[in-house]
Amino acid sequence: MNDKKYLKFIEQTFIKYAQINTRSDENSERVPTTAGQVRLAKLIVADLKALGLENVIYDEQDGYVVAALQGNTDESVDPIGFIAHLDTADFAAENIQPQVHANYDGQDVVLNQAKGIMMRVSEFPNLRKYRGQRLITSDGTTLLGVDDKAGIAAIVTALKYLLEHPEIKHGPVSVAFGPDEEIGLGAKRFDISKFNVKFAYTLDNGLPGQLEDETFNAAQAKITIRGTAVHPGDGYGLLVNAATLANRLLSHLPSDEVPELSKERGGFLLVTEVKATIAAAQINIIIRDFEHQQFLAKKKLLREIVTQLNQEFTEPRIKLDIKDQYYNIKEVIKQHPYITQLVLETYRQLGLKPIVHLFRGGTDGNALTEKGIPTPNLFNGGENFHGPFEFVTTEAMLLTSRTVVALLGEHLRQSRA
């Protein structure tokens, strides 16, 4: 699968998909939340059909593209699923200009000569690992969309390879490409009745050889504050400053439980947005923790802070709404050891160093696991996600695609054992 034909195909496929603005919008009521995701979904449908895949659908109700490739063996093999998401993160995504740096030299990369935007090895030392490969970046003014269009391109390329090489025996496989993963909505809406698999893998972030079988527990808190605006000259006993209340609330948050000071199993409270005037204020906070009890404790802390501040007024002025977004998949995945053992054996066969570790985030696999399809995360080969310095190499994407094919082969072999 290393020949120039598939290198060219996966690179062209990724660039074609990356150029479409699929940034999701948490304030939208439509499904998917943005028109660009619909455009990409329908393009993928056309591409899969052009490859010769017959069982391809786009469901307008949940925004998912689902396709199935029947097994080409008479042996009984449990069906496997692979998933990648259509949307990109909350960062500039209009007029994306992918740039291919062929035979990358391992040095600083000029992303945008006119604007003086550089990606420096001193800031991103992992760049050196990709010397000699075909490095793909944006022009530094937008994200690139590696998360997760690299995963999509890898799955599409794997299907192309399997269709063109029927001598490679495998069991049934289903693939799904869904919207609004970045805002935690897509997989919650997914009608899994059309995704006939026993277990699945997301190809979302991560480096070759990684297997992520544990994620955060996650929630989002929305806080609204009602002030009373009057002329400040007449404010004594009357004026209630919502902006000041917002500042006081924020001052009660633990200063050491923030992303910039947490790593490994450390959780955090992250203030993502503050809007405030005298009359009204709004604060958005995301809550993350691997440990369930600590996750509950963080939510309890927010409630206690709000209750304490509200006691200063004859009627509450601060309203707190907390919604759980997803839960750690670890306990479910542990109940199905074959799912991880299959991946680790596949990695060893490919000469990859297996690295099982936790994922400081979440994927569509959280919702799918909760719905009864255990779904850990593999990798898509990219780095520096969610910003202007995203990058991936053509070779890394093709390795992801090779991993999908190899995993199907290993699954058949183990089913025979």
Side-chain angles (χ1 to χ4, degrees):
M1 197 176 184
N2 281 328
D3 64 31
K4 293 181 180 180
K5 172 183 177 180
Y6 293 102
L7 280 168
K8 181 178 180 180
F9 177 83
I10 200 168
E11 181 175 293
Q12 291 179 340
T13 300
F14 170 73
I15 289 174
K16 178 172 63 175
Y17 295 164
Q19 289 174 315
I20 301 173
N21 178 358
T22 59
R23 182 178 181 176
S24 48
D25 178 6
E26 66 177 354
N27 296 312
S28 171
E29 298 296 326
R30 62 190 294 175
V31 180
T33 59
T34 53
Q37 295 183 77
V38 178
R39 179 184 168 195
L40 177 56
K42 292 182 176 180
L43 177 58
I44 293 170
V45 169
D47 284 352
L48 293 178
K49 289 182 176 180
L51 293 179
L53 209 61
E54 296 178 353
N55 301 315
V56 186
I57 61 169
Y58 171 62
D59 191 330
E60 294 184 356
Q61 297 299 310
D62 60 20
Y64 264 79
V65 175
V66 178
L69 179 63
Q70 299 303 313
N72 57 3
T73 174
D74 293 333
E75 298 169 78
S76 177
V77 187
D78 285 338
I80 299 181
F82 295 95
I83 304 150
H85 63 86
L86 302 167
D87 65 321
T88 56
D90 191 19
F91 193 84
E94 191 62 47
N95 193 31
I96 295 173
Q97 300 292 324
Q99 301 183 91
V100 179
H101 309 268
N103 194 23
Y104 169 58
D105 62 6
Q107 303 301 311
D108 293 349
V109 183
V110 178
L111 299 181
N112 195 309
Q113 185 74 48
K115 296 181 181 292
I117 302 174
M118 300 277 293
M119 183 160 59
R120 302 184 186 281
V121 175
S122 59
E123 294 181 71
F124 306 108
N126 276 0
L127 280 166
R128 295 191 183 95
K129 296 190 305 182
Y130 301 98
R131 184 180 288 110
Q133 297 187 33
R134 294 179 64 81
L135 182 73
I136 309 175
T137 70
S138 75
D139 70 351
T141 64
T142 67
L143 49 64
L144 178 59
V146 178
D147 179 12
D148 191 20
K149 291 166 186 174
I152 298 173
I155 293 172
V156 171
T157 303
L159 291 172
K160 175 181 174 65
Y161 187 80
L162 291 169
L163 286 164
E164 292 179 349
H165 292 81
E167 72 277 8
I168 298 176
K169 301 302 179 184
H170 59 84
V173 56
S174 289
V175 301
F177 307 105
D180 299 323
E181 187 272 349
E182 297 291 357
I183 56 177
L185 293 177
K188 290 180 180 179
R189 299 168 173 152
F190 187 24
D191 177 6
I192 62 170
S193 66
K194 59 180 180 283
F195 194 54
N196 182 30
V197 300
K198 294 292 186 181
F199 57 95
Y201 301 96
T202 51
L203 274 63
D204 189 359
N205 300 357
L207 297 174
Q210 290 183 347
L211 170 63
E212 295 166 331
D213 64 349
E214 183 171 6
T215 64
F216 276 134
N217 296 290
Q220 182 173 48
K222 290 185 178 291
I223 301 170
T224 54
I225 303 175
R226 178 176 57 86
T228 299
V230 299
H231 190 288
D234 299 319
Y236 182 79
L238 297 175
L239 187 146
V240 178
N241 193 330
T244 302
L245 266 178
N247 284 332
R248 290 180 58 197
L249 187 152
L250 293 172
S251 72
H252 283 77
L253 299 180
S255 60
D256 58 339
E257 294 185 32
V258 292
E260 56 267 38
L261 296 177
S262 65
K263 60 181 180 179
E264 298 172 351
R265 301 193 66 83
F268 57 79
L269 295 159
L270 172 62
V271 179
T272 59
E273 185 176 29
V274 180
K275 296 179 180 179
T277 64
I278 294 174
Q282 177 179 316
I283 303 171
N284 293 338
I285 301 173
I286 62 172
I287 306 162
R288 301 289 187 267
D289 212 297
F290 289 100
E291 303 299 334
H292 187 67
Q293 291 303 315
Q294 293 179 18
F295 177 58
L296 295 177
K298 286 177 169 59
K299 294 191 287 185
K300 181 181 177 183
L301 174 63
L302 284 180
R303 293 188 182 100
E304 290 174 343
I305 293 170
V306 169
T307 298
Q308 177 185 338
L309 291 174
N310 271 332
Q311 288 175 349
E312 301 177 9
F313 306 98
T314 56
E315 59 182 34
R317 288 181 172 269
I318 307 173
K319 179 182 178 182
L320 170 64
D321 181 28
I322 298 178
K323 291 184 178 179
D324 286 354
Q325 296 171 300
Y326 55 82
Y327 303 105
N328 193 340
I329 64 175
K330 181 69 173 181
E331 291 307 312
V332 175
I333 300 302
K334 280 170 58 177
Q335 297 171 25
H336 304 274
Y338 175 77
I339 298 173
T340 55
Q341 292 168 4
L342 175 63
V343 174
L344 299 180
E345 180 57 34
T346 301
Y347 285 171
R348 283 188 281 267
Q349 289 182 13
L350 291 171
L352 298 175
K353 180 182 178 182
I355 304 171
V356 181
H357 72 128
L358 49 83
F359 179 35
R360 290 181 58 81
T363 71
D364 283 333
N366 292 89
L368 291 175
T369 299
E370 191 173 348
K371 290 184 177 188
I373 302 175
T375 308
N377 185 59
L378 302 184
F379 61 89
N380 68 16
E383 298 201 39
N384 300 346
F385 305 107
H386 291 198
F389 301 111
E390 272 189 309
F391 71 82
V392 71
T393 67
T394 306
E395 291 83 355
M397 287 191 292
L398 194 63
L399 178 56
T400 307
S401 198
R402 285 178 57 210
T403 301
V404 170
V405 174
L407 194 148
L408 291 170
E410 177 59 20
H411 180 45
L412 176 60
R413 188 190 71 80
Q414 294 201 24
S415 296
R416 290 167 172 166

